[in-house]
Amino acid sequence: MNEAGKPLWWQTGVIYQVYPRSFQDSNGDGIGDLNGVIQRLDYLHALGIDALWLSPFYPSPMADFGYDVADYVDVDPIFGTLADFDRLVSEAHRRDLRIIIDIVPNHSSAEHPWFKESRPSRTSPKRDWYVWADAKPDGSPPNNWLSNFGGSAWEWDEATGQYYLHSFLPEQPDLNWRNPALRQAMFDAIRFWLDRDVDGLRIDVAHAVMKDPDLRDDPPNPDPAAAFKPMGDYNSLLHIHSKGHADTHGVYRELRQILDSYSTGERPRFAVGEIHLFDWLEWASYYGADLDELHMPYNFSLLFAPWSAQAVRKVIDEVDRAVPPGGWPNFVLSNHDEHRLASRIGVEAARGAMLLLLSLRGTPTIYYGEELGMEDVPIPPELEQDPWGLRVQGVGVGRDPERTPMQWDSSANAGFADAGVHPWLPVAADYQTNNVAAQEQDPCSMLSLTRCLLALRRATPALHAGGYQSIDQANDQCFLFERRAGSDRWWVAINFSGSEQVVKLPGGNGVVRVSTHMDRDEALSSAAFRLRPHEGCLIQVSA
């Protein structure tokens, strides 16, 4: 809340994730870029979102498509220049859109000058800017820590006779946040972007920056199958020492002070962290004991919950209870690391999911293309590029299918790139019928539904700032909850099944304002309300 007690922009707003490589190619190289994003700002403004989260655009060898940063204070020529970035920020702000950038603090590229200086000698001034350790007496790695991308998290360096830590690819050495000089350098990089007027930060693997200083082994996982998703051998351990050390909280308290120093009443700066935790007490700890750390830790529970009314209600209720007093929840249904929503739960169910996302209490994040119901695109083996999928075979962790070009229209390359250009990943086979231009002409399309929901959310206090209360139902195929702000009351009813269902509404009358089929506008005076297969409805409760 601000000084007047009103919610802040990041509480009432909706975030839209742009994966720059796949959004719009402006220069004919088959890769999206910053000028391409500028070209599409009017679309985003008309869509009704409030902030753009830009995935990394920094100079990088692209071993992990930008999450291996070689320079934290510049733009990779693939994406443009610093002048292009400044113009993007200016043009976004002119349209009342905020800019959130992706910060990658856990690791840099092995091509970063810091690591190049760290590597040749144990006495290098920057040696301790990274995590180096001696081998065990038998020459094996210092401990049993595993890389998220497969194999050991340690890489042997022959020249200096030590291992360095890489929680992801060997080309992504982990930074040592226990070194004060490194810490200062990273905070200075963040100040560089705040000085360029960015509004917020999305922090990559935020809970991984501090590890156990004694490098103790991670214990075995007694139930690998219970992990939130299949990740091969990585799930064989409980990663309690290789990330999430208690000292991590000190990093974010310091970061929060920096953000607060840049904030004004009109321009509060913001940070959300990627926190893959499902122990809600630990997850909520990243708000800070005095709400003095992250403004929000990202909540991924709906990404991995079974798509059923009871499972979804359970996680939403748990999250609502876990958020500390004064804190603010958030929800996501897809991102650049997970298969697309329509491919996970089905095209029809995806409409109900969008209605759910945009009617819950908390800040929603929409991944580009989800407003169209875009699906995963099968990638032939010879075109596969994601290093995770290439290194960890057979468990479906490859991320190329959900990163394919945005589908703008029915022209060549779906309007993402000019005819004759070879996009960096294949365009979906259905792009000629499933695209922005086509859906704009259909008042019942997924895009029309999303725009309607975003406009209603923005205009309705109960939906963008009100409280949440789930409502018991005898019908376990449906989820019903209420949003309320003073006298402004709404019921949200969603059928998770493929058959017609009846829900029991609480006492009182209401009017259906939005349905997932975009074809209902009816007054309700009966407690029994029929929902069609996979249908969801927003019902305004009569005074």
Side-chain angles (χ1 to χ4, degrees), residues 106-120:
N106 180 70
H107 48 267
S108 76
S109 166
E111 296 301 311
H112 196 294
W114 298 344
F115 189 68
K116 287 185 173 181
E117 186 176 341
S118 171
R119 193 166 195 171

Side-chain angles (χ1 to χ4, degrees), residues 64-239:
D64 190 21
F65 295 107
Y67 284 93
D68 50 319
V69 179
D71 185 346
Y72 285 98
V73 292
D74 206 348
V75 174
D76 194 290
I78 289 174
F79 299 118
T81 65
L82 273 173
D84 295 329
F85 177 83
D86 291 340
R87 188 163 71 92
L88 171 57
V89 173
S90 175
E91 289 296 318
H93 286 169
R94 191 166 66 83
R95 293 166 174 83
D96 294 322
L97 296 171
R98 313 278 182 164
I99 294 292
I100 299 169
I101 63 170
D102 218 320
I103 294 294
V104 189
N106 180 70
H107 48 267
S108 76
S109 166
E111 296 301 311
H112 196 294
W114 298 344
F115 189 68
K116 287 185 173 181
E117 186 176 341
S118 171
R119 193 166 195 171
S121 168
R122 293 191 182 199
T123 60
S124 163
K126 287 192 171 57
R127 184 71 167 187
D128 195 44
W129 284 36
Y130 293 84
V131 182
W132 291 89
D134 291 329
K136 290 181 179 179
D138 64 359
S140 61
N143 60 29
N144 70 345
W145 294 357
L146 296 174
S147 163
N148 284 261
F149 286 173
S152 172
W154 296 95
E155 185 78 1
W156 176 250
D157 184 72
E158 188 67 38
T160 56
Q162 278 190 316
Y163 285 92
Y164 69 84
L165 180 66
H166 60 91
S167 296
F168 294 88
L169 295 173
E171 295 89 345
Q172 295 170 291
D174 279 34
L175 294 162
N176 178 18
W177 276 80
R178 298 188 183 281
N179 181 292
L182 176 278
R183 195 163 173 152
Q184 182 64 44
M186 288 298 294
F187 285 144
D188 285 347
I190 289 171
R191 290 186 179 95
F192 174 89
W193 296 107
L194 292 171
D195 288 336
R196 300 193 98 85
D197 224 17
V198 302
D199 300 281
L201 313 173
R202 179 268 184 186
I203 303 169
D204 188 57
V205 288
H207 59 314
V209 294
M210 283 288 196
K211 290 84 173 169
D212 176 35
D214 297 323
L215 304 181
R216 287 173 289 179
D217 279 354
D218 280 331
N221 185 354
D223 188 10
F228 68 91
K229 74 175 186 179
M231 293 176 62
D233 289 344
Y234 186 77
N235 289 343
S236 67
L237 299 178
L238 294 174
H239 305 281

Side-chain angles (χ1 to χ4, degrees), residues 318-330:
E318 288 175 346
V319 169
D320 199 65
R321 287 192 295 266
V323 174
W328 192 246
N330 66 91

Side-chain angles (χ1 to χ4, degrees), residues 312-383:
V312 167
R313 174 186 176 173
K314 180 176 184 291
V315 297
I316 292 170
D317 285 352
E318 288 175 346
V319 169
D320 199 65
R321 287 192 295 266
V323 174
W328 192 246
N330 66 91
F331 291 94
V332 301
L333 285 172
S334 52
N335 60 34
H336 63 296
D337 286 331
E338 308 300 337
H339 295 303
R340 284 198 175 271
L341 178 65
S343 294
R344 297 198 319 267
I345 67 173
V347 173
E348 285 302 312
R351 285 174 167 260
M354 183 65 79
L355 185 141
L356 173 71
L357 178 68
L358 296 180
S359 58
L360 283 170
R361 185 175 89 95
T363 303
T365 297
I366 300 173
Y367 185 47
Y368 83 96
E370 295 298 285
E371 72 273 25
L372 306 177
M374 279 178 60
E375 298 179 74
D376 286 354
V377 176
I379 307 296
E382 66 274 15
L383 297 180

Side-chain angles (χ1 to χ4, degrees), residues 162 187 206 255 360 399 424 529:
Q162 278 190 316
F187 285 144
L255 173 62
L360 283 170
R399 300 167 293 178
W424 80 283
F529 179 56

Side-chain angles (χ1 to χ4, degrees), residues 441-480:
Q441 302 305 311
D442 180 0
C444 296
S445 69
M446 179 73 158
L447 177 58
S448 296
L449 171 65
T450 304
R451 282 180 171 167
C452 178
L453 290 168
L454 285 166
L456 184 62
R457 180 186 176 90
R458 182 189 294 270
T460 306
L463 295 179
H464 67 239
Y468 159 87
Q469 180 61 58
S470 58
I471 300 171
D472 290 336
Q473 282 291 302
N475 186 338
D476 64 5
Q477 300 298 312
C478 297
F479 178 30
L480 180 67

